[in-house]
Amino acid sequence: MPERGARFGGHPVHPALVSVPIGLWTFSLAADLVRWLGGGSVWRDLALYTLGAGIMGAMIAAVPGFIDYLTITDVRVRDIAVAHMATMLVVLGVFAFSFWLRWIGTTGALPVGVSALGVALLGIGAWVGGEMVFVHGQGMAADPWKDDAREETDPPRRRVA
């Protein structure tokens, strides 16, 4: 399988970049929970700033992700990629809404609940992205050390979920 898509040093860029918004958005929700459990106002500010940084990180990660999408030739994988992209665009919108609520001064459970929804949807979108890579091999380079005879005897890949 030839290497295609956005790569740096032979490695796909999108999977490396998505860890930034995933980590920031998850930490933002954790900061919200610490604030709710009696943490100081610094936790509210930290949640806002990590939320905003996660939005920026997601927009950066989307560029190589879209480049990768344009290289997909398998129709089944392209359908999964569309579902992944649509889910992640909704996720981005949910976190942007949570950021906006905080920016205009909304307090209470609403911004935190919106972020919790975002993290839940993020997990679904990441699962779908993992489906493309780990089940369908999208973005994976062929193993140059693998014995060609063994490839013929490998069991077919099955979907786990």
Side-chain angles (χ1 to χ4, degrees):
M1 178 182 302
E3 294 183 12
R4 295 181 301 216
R7 294 184 170 272
F8 182 77
H11 297 279
V13 177
H14 180 69
L17 292 179
V18 297
S19 62
V20 172
I22 290 171
L24 288 167
W25 287 334
T26 303
F27 183 78
S28 178
L29 181 59
D32 281 333
L33 297 177
V34 169
R35 171 72 175 133
W36 269 46
L37 294 173
S41 63
V42 69
W43 290 100
R44 181 190 62 234
D45 297 340
L46 193 55
L48 173 71
Y49 294 131
T50 54
L51 191 59
I55 291 167
M56 289 186 290
M59 290 189 295
I60 292 168
V63 173
F66 188 69
I67 292 168
D68 291 350
Y69 168 76
L70 294 175
T71 67
I72 298 172
T73 56
D74 184 320
V75 175
R76 291 175 306 148
V77 176
R78 185 173 283 258
D79 289 345
I80 296 168
V82 168
H84 172 67
M85 183 171 41
T87 303
M88 298 316 282
L89 287 170
V90 169
V91 167
L92 181 61
V94 167
F95 283 116
F97 180 60
S98 180
F99 183 85
W100 178 77
L101 286 171
R102 296 159 196 267
W103 190 259
I104 64 169
T106 305
T107 58
L110 182 60
V112 178
V114 171
S115 285
L117 172 64
V119 169
L121 292 172
L122 178 64
I124 294 167
W127 182 280
V128 174
E131 172 87 6
M132 286 187 293
V133 175
F134 298 111
V135 175
H136 297 282
Q138 181 63 36
M140 305 290 280
D143 185 353
W145 302 105
K146 193 168 187 178
D147 182 8
D148 288 339
R150 175 157 160 74
E151 286 182 9
E152 294 173 8
T153 62
D154 281 347
R157 293 183 184 187
R158 283 195 245 160
R159 188 178 167 141
V160 179

